[in-house]
Amino acid sequence: MNSLIRTMTRRLRDDRRGLGAVEFAMVAPFLILLYLGGYQLMDATSAYRKVTTTTRTLADVTSQFTSVQSSDLDNIMGAAASVMTPYSASNATTRVSEIAISAAGMPSVVWSRASDGVLLKTSDLYATPGVPSGAVPVQLRVPGTNLIYAEVSYAYTPVAGAQLIGPMNFRDRIFMNPRRSTDIPCTGC
């Protein structure tokens, strides 16, 4: 009986057939997490790039007009939001504004239009947290000029692990000069 137990123990110890399955079972969870994490990182990076492209499109198209109406701006914001595809445009808020720089170099909002109705006010230009000189950089404050200011915010919800990571807010902004005129008046804004 003892020799039978020793023989069986020796055979079990020398048997290597199940070793690969055991190693795979130990490594598989790590590999799956690595794969999902890599996918999530690339998806979040892609969403942020879409936000940047949308912001650029919003400012670029608006700066090509010589005058606009509120309906034109609504159409521009709708078209810019379609740049977010394949990400949901319902999670994005867009805002475009014209900022005039006074002779003293102080910015003020001429008009503003936003997808969520929260319009830019002149006081917002000076109350920007973390920016000591305000939202408009000093280098862009050329007296007597106007700027088109576009902003896009996007609430990104991760595909995998949304409960662990939670939603992330991506935000971008850009200033552009009007291209075909010095000012872009807005009717109905």
Side-chain angles (χ1 to χ4, degrees):
M1 183 72 139
N2 260 350
S3 78
L4 181 61
I5 293 175
R6 271 188 258 145
T7 305
M8 293 297 281
T9 305
R10 191 177 313 120
R11 283 181 54 201
L12 185 60
R13 184 189 67 206
D14 294 340
D15 190 1
R16 301 287 183 210
R17 287 182 291 183
L19 189 59
V22 171
E23 288 175 351
F24 178 76
M26 291 171 62
V27 175
F30 174 74
L31 292 176
I32 291 169
L33 284 174
L34 185 65
Y35 175 76
L36 290 176
Y39 171 78
Q40 189 59 59
L41 179 64
M42 288 297 105
D43 190 54
T45 302
S46 178
Y48 181 73
R49 290 183 73 198
K50 288 288 189 173
V51 168
T52 301
T53 304
T54 302
T55 307
R56 168 81 183 177
T57 301
L58 181 60
D60 189 32
V61 172
T62 305
S63 69
Q64 294 179 38
F65 281 78
T66 55
S67 67
V68 292
Q69 296 180 358
S70 59
S71 60
D72 293 331
L73 291 174
D74 291 340
N75 290 335
I76 292 168
M77 286 189 292
S82 68
V83 173
M84 288 296 299
T85 304
Y87 301 99
S88 174
S90 65
N91 293 345
T93 58
T94 57
R95 180 166 62 182
V96 63
S97 309
E98 182 177 25
I99 299 172
I101 309 299
S102 69
M106 300 307 294
S108 64
V109 176
V110 178
W111 54 260
S112 183
R113 193 79 175 163
S115 63
D116 63 353
V118 179
L119 304 178
L120 183 69
K121 300 180 296 283
T122 300
S123 60
D124 297 336
L125 298 175
Y126 299 103
T128 306
V131 182
S133 62
V136 181
V138 176
Q139 298 86 348
L140 296 178
R141 295 183 186 186
V142 177
T145 62
N146 289 15
L147 298 169
I148 298 300
Y149 177 54
E151 303 171 89
V152 175
S153 296
Y154 182 72
Y156 174 75
T157 304
V159 177
Q163 293 80 13
L164 296 173
I165 301 171
M168 292 182 262
N169 292 317
F170 296 141
R171 189 180 152 97
D172 198 16
R173 65 188 187 127
I174 190 171
F175 294 93
M176 284 191 176
N177 291 321
R179 292 185 185 189
R180 299 174 56 207
S181 63
T182 56
D183 181 25
I184 304 175
C186 181
T187 307
C189 293

